[in-house]
Amino acid sequence: TSKYLIMQQLFKEDSKIYILDPNGEYAPLCRSLNGQVVELSRKSDSIINIFDIAGDEFGDKMLSLISSFHIIVGGLSESQKAVLSKVLTKVYENRGIVHDKPETWKRNPPTFSDVRKVLSKLRKEHAKRKKYIQDTSFEVLLNRVEMYCKRGIFGFLDNISRVDIEKNFVCFDLSQLPNAVKNLMMFSTLELIQREIKKDKKAKVVLIDEGWSLLRSKEA
């Protein structure tokens, strides 16, 4: 039924169509109808850097990243949120990106490796001051972030964004991603789709297949 409704929209030729496809069920249909399949996986050319501002407001990006880290950590404590807010601000400043200077927002964004460096440095500084509660928060965040850095099990996400959306019918195939990062990538892909929606006033259709798997995560 979903495929039939998508085809109806496509043949009207008045809507842009985006499909979030965690199991690869819509990719064949997309290809057969001359759409564009964007495969996100360990070995694909396409990747989404969750730290990419890409036209968003700086404040909106910070809120989005807090939600992303909710998913990465499995729920943030208030102490961890405070640490993360401080770390993220510093990480972007190191890249020359400042919250109250919109002209800087287009500069190259940080990656997980940049976050790890700042976390490590701030953890050492706080350890010297004997702030034990925040030390625990630093430790938890650092352990998770290291999994997403170059030599970590999800190190393929430690890259700049490489996603080129050319056509009006786009399927994001997430079927080859490890299950442990699918929710994060579904969330990040939806954020990318949201930015595309805001670019113009043309009608858009978004289909989220297996949406329950994303919605069962309260953080997402």
Side-chain angles (χ1 to χ4, degrees):
T1 303
S2 297
K3 291 177 180 177
Y4 176 70
L5 293 172
I6 286 294
M7 290 172 69
Q8 279 190 318
Q9 292 288 339
L10 187 64
F11 295 147
K12 287 179 184 178
E13 296 184 345
D14 63 352
S15 298
K16 292 184 178 180
I17 300 171
Y18 303 100
I19 301 177
L20 194 55
D21 187 9
N23 295 324
E25 296 178 87
Y26 292 82
L29 174 68
C30 184
R31 290 190 181 97
S32 67
L33 296 176
N34 198 34
Q36 181 180 2
V37 176
V38 177
E39 181 185 314
L40 298 173
S41 69
R42 288 180 183 275
K43 299 180 180 179
S44 67
D45 292 331
S46 300
I47 202 67
I48 297 173
N49 176 12
I50 71 168
F51 302 98
D52 198 344
I53 297 179
D56 279 348
E57 293 283 328
F58 187 89
D60 291 342
K61 187 63 196 179
M62 291 300 103
L63 292 173
S64 170
L65 283 173
I66 294 294
S67 297
S68 295
F69 272 88
H70 263 298
I71 298 172
I72 290 170
V73 177
L76 292 168
S77 67
E78 291 303 314
S79 174
Q80 289 164 354
K81 286 180 187 177
V83 168
L84 188 59
S85 178
K86 185 184 298 184
V87 167
L88 290 176
T89 300
K90 183 64 176 175
V91 165
Y92 279 93
E93 285 178 354
N94 288 348
R95 286 279 185 167
I97 301 171
V98 185
H99 70 95
D100 58 353
K101 294 182 179 179
E103 66 273 14
T104 68
W105 298 352
K106 294 182 180 180
R107 292 175 179 171
N108 290 334
T111 63
F112 280 104
S113 290
D114 297 309
V115 176
R116 180 182 59 187
K117 289 176 184 176
V118 173
L119 267 171
S120 297
K121 183 178 179 180
L122 292 181
R123 182 186 63 170
K124 291 176 182 177
E125 291 177 1
H126 281 273
K128 292 177 182 177
R129 298 171 191 166
K130 297 183 179 181
K131 293 191 176 181
Y132 296 113
I133 295 176
Q134 285 201 333
D135 278 349
T136 303
S137 297
F138 278 111
E139 203 69 45
V140 171
L141 289 169
L142 190 57
N143 287 340
R144 288 304 178 103
V145 166
E146 284 180 341
M147 295 170 65
Y148 292 82
C149 293
K150 287 291 184 215
R151 295 185 181 179
I153 56 176
F154 308 128
F156 65 98
L157 296 176
D158 191 20
N159 273 300
I160 60 172
S161 292
R162 297 189 305 270
V163 179
D164 187 19
I165 301 173
E166 299 174 349
K167 298 189 177 181
N168 287 337
F169 183 20
V170 182
C171 174
F172 293 90
D173 182 357
L174 283 66
S175 61
Q176 300 304 311
L177 284 170
N179 287 331
V181 295
K182 270 193 179 180
N183 273 0
L184 176 62
M185 283 295 96
M186 287 179 75
F187 184 84
S188 298
T189 305
L190 277 173
E191 187 181 23
L192 184 150
I193 291 172
Q194 183 183 24
R195 290 197 295 264
E196 291 294 316
I197 288 173
K198 291 177 179 178
K199 284 182 178 179
D200 56 56
K201 294 187 177 182
K202 186 174 182 179
K204 281 92 173 178
V205 175
V206 181
L207 170 64
I208 306 173
D209 190 44
E210 302 292 345
W212 64 271
S213 65
L214 184 63
L215 293 175
R216 68 180 175 179
S217 162
K218 66 177 183 178
E219 293 82 16

